[in-house]
């Protein structure tokens, strides 16, 4: 089942769902957040809760998308309680890249490996522990709170000081924290973990700076398990024409970590188990237009799609105006 949020003509949030057929409004659902919290509080599976509420009128989701009426598929009444985070060095990449990496890891001495390569190797060796056990922890980064989340179809804003504005096609897990501090997974969605790759390339210690950017996710949330082999396409359109396109892979068959291991190492921190909070946690990628020498421009449109996740995620790029910030003493 796929669920999403739209604004109707009266500017009211409607939660909609589809399961191989028409998209229909879920009766009595005020938001995906309220629906997820109700499921957590009642101990009811999300699909069972949706089916119990029943469905109303059909909705043309494509038309709503074109009209700019799709919202992020989950939000929080207080944006400060939605956390955008992610993890990197989790994907194996293509078979050729994987073989090349293994050969280098086998051939080079420890001191010759970069820190990134060392962490990648750690994932290969310990990222998929036995069920119930904790494996090696991954690279982790913070992107911001709900004020940095951009709805499908809306513009990703790159700061004027940024040196690059590049897409990262990823799968993200969507979570709410129950009243007792237990994390509940709502499902999985596509995401564009928008980053500044030139800043990151200067020095990996600039990773934190490079990640403090907008992110977009959706339009739809896939309820249930993540397919082990996710195959999608990432593309960039310029002036309505295809500028760049490349397939991307995700799912555990293409990763050096299990989803459970990545979830454990995020939610092991009590700060991320605060009742009522929402988490959008992005699981990394191996496909970047930046790696192919693409420099994006204002007006370019990013499009990320994978058949398991319904509608593609589209966002145009805008560049913010420069701002001067001066701190005032009180």
């Amino acid at each position: 089942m796929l669920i999403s949020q739209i604004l109707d003509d009266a500017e009211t949030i409607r939660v909609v769902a589809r399961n191989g057929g028409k998209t229909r409004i879920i009766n009595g659902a005020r938001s995906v957040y309220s629906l997820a919290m109700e499921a957590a509080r009642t101990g009811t599976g999300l699909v069972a809760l949706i089916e119990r509420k029943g469905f109303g009128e059909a909705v043309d989701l494509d038309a709503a998308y074109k009209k700019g009426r799709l919202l992020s598929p989950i939000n929080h009444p207080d944006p400060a309680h939605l956390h955008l985070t992610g993890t990197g060095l989790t994907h194996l990449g293509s078979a050729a890249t994987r073989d090349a990496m293994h050969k280098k890891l086998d051939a080079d001495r420890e001191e010759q490996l970069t820190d990134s390569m060392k962490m990648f190797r750690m994932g290969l060796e310990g990222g998929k522990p036995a069920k119930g056990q904790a494996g090696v922890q991954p690279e982790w980064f913070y992107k911001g709170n709900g004020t940095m989340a951009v709805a499908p179809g809306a513009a990703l804003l790159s700061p004027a000081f940024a040196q690059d504005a590049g897409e990262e096609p990823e799968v993200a897990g969507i979570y709410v924290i129950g009243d007792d501090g237990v994390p509940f997974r709502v499902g999985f969605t596509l995401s564009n973990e928008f980053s500044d790759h030139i800043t990151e390339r200067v020095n990996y210690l600039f990773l934190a700076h490079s990640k403090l950017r907008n992110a977009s996710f959706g339009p739809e949330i896939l309820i249930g398990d993540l397919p082990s082999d996710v195959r999608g396409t990432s593309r960039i359109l310029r002036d309505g024409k295809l500028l760049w396109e490349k397939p991307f892979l995700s799912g555990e068959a293409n990763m050096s970590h299990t989803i459970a291991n990545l979830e454990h190492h995020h939610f092991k921190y009590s700060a991320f188990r605060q009742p009522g909070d929402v988490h959008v946690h992005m699981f990394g990628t191996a496909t970047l237009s930046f790696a192919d020498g693409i420099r994006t421009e204002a007006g370019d449109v990013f499009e990320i799609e994978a058949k398991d996740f319904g509608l593609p995620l589209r966002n145009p790029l805008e560049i913010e105006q420069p701002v001067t910030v001066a701190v005032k003493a009180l």
Side-chain angles (χ1 to χ4, degrees):
M1 180 180 287
L2 295 162
I3 61 172
S4 52
Q5 298 187 128
I6 64 170
L7 279 178
D8 66 14
D9 292 338
E11 302 297 315
T12 300
I13 295 176
R14 300 291 187 185
V15 182
V16 300
R18 58 182 174 141
N19 195 5
K22 291 184 178 180
T23 304
R24 295 188 178 276
I25 292 174
I26 301 171
N27 295 330
R30 300 187 309 275
S31 66
V32 169
Y33 174 71
S34 65
L35 194 66
M37 291 303 294
E38 182 180 349
R41 286 168 178 152
T42 60
T44 307
L46 190 53
V47 171
L49 177 61
I50 290 170
E51 291 177 343
R52 190 176 72 196
K53 287 180 176 294
F55 302 95
E57 64 183 278
V59 171
D60 187 335
L61 203 57
D62 286 289
Y65 205 170
K66 292 175 182 176
K67 292 178 182 178
R69 295 209 166 257
L70 260 66
L71 303 172
S72 296
I74 193 168
N75 45 31
H76 192 286
D78 179 356
H81 287 276
L82 187 152
H83 307 274
L84 294 171
T85 57
T87 184
L89 299 173
T90 55
H91 281 65
L92 301 170
S94 68
T97 302
R98 188 185 317 172
D99 288 343
M101 282 186 156
H102 278 286
K103 289 174 183 176
K104 181 173 178 59
L105 292 173
D106 291 340
D108 287 0
R109 292 179 300 167
E110 178 75 14
E111 61 268 23
Q112 291 176 312
L113 299 179
T114 65
D115 287 335
S116 294
M117 191 65 77
K118 290 176 185 177
M119 183 160 284
F120 179 79
R121 184 175 70 176
M122 288 167 62
L124 288 175
E125 295 175 347
K128 291 187 173 181
K131 188 175 181 179
Q133 297 183 11
V136 66
Q137 63 184 359
E139 176 191 62
W140 182 95
F141 56 82
Y142 175 72
K143 286 195 65 67
N145 59 27
T147 63
M148 302 290 276
V150 173
L156 290 162
L157 301 178
S158 182
F161 59 77
Q163 299 185 62
D164 174 53
E167 86 300 330
E168 293 200 17
E170 305 189 15
V171 171
I174 306 294
Y175 308 87
V176 296
I177 309 300
D179 296 333
D180 55 359
V182 173
F184 290 88
R185 187 194 311 120
V186 179
F188 299 93
T189 187
L190 294 175
S191 67
N192 187 342
E193 197 272 286
F194 185 62
S195 299
D196 182 344
H197 301 102
I198 292 180
T199 293
E200 180 184 349
R201 189 175 63 180
V202 171
N203 188 304
Y204 74 94
L205 295 177
F206 283 168
L207 177 73
H209 290 280
S210 74
K211 296 297 187 183
L212 285 172
R213 301 289 187 271
N214 282 167
S216 187
F217 55 95
E220 301 178 81
I221 298 174
L222 173 67
I223 301 175
D225 294 333
L226 180 68
S228 63
D229 184 22
V230 174
R231 295 173 181 264
T233 303
S234 179
R235 60 179 63 91
I236 299 174
L237 305 174
R238 179 172 292 171
D239 298 325
K241 298 178 181 179
L242 183 65
L243 174 69
W244 174 88
E245 181 179 72
K246 202 165 190 176
F248 71 92
L249 301 174
S250 193
E252 289 188 3
N254 303 296
M255 297 172 67
S256 55
H257 289 259
T258 62
I259 297 299
N261 191 52
L262 299 178
E263 290 173 335
H264 164 74
H265 285 295
H266 179 68
F267 290 111
K268 69 184 181 184
Y269 296 101
S270 60
F272 295 149
R273 300 194 307 273
Q274 298 304 302
D277 279 5
V278 174
H279 289 257
V280 180
H281 192 52
M282 295 161 238
F283 295 125
T285 188
T287 302
L288 307 171
S289 66
F290 177 77
D292 291 339
I294 299 296
R295 292 296 305 271
T296 57
E297 300 175 358
D300 289 350
V301 175
F302 302 110
E303 184 174 277
I304 299 168
E305 65 177 345
K307 64 179 180 62
D308 299 296
F309 297 92
L311 295 177
L313 176 61
R314 298 189 194 96
N315 297 95
L317 170 63
E318 289 186 13
I319 309 298
E320 290 183 321
Q321 294 298 313
V323 294
T324 300
V325 179
V327 176
K328 296 182 179 180
L330 295 176

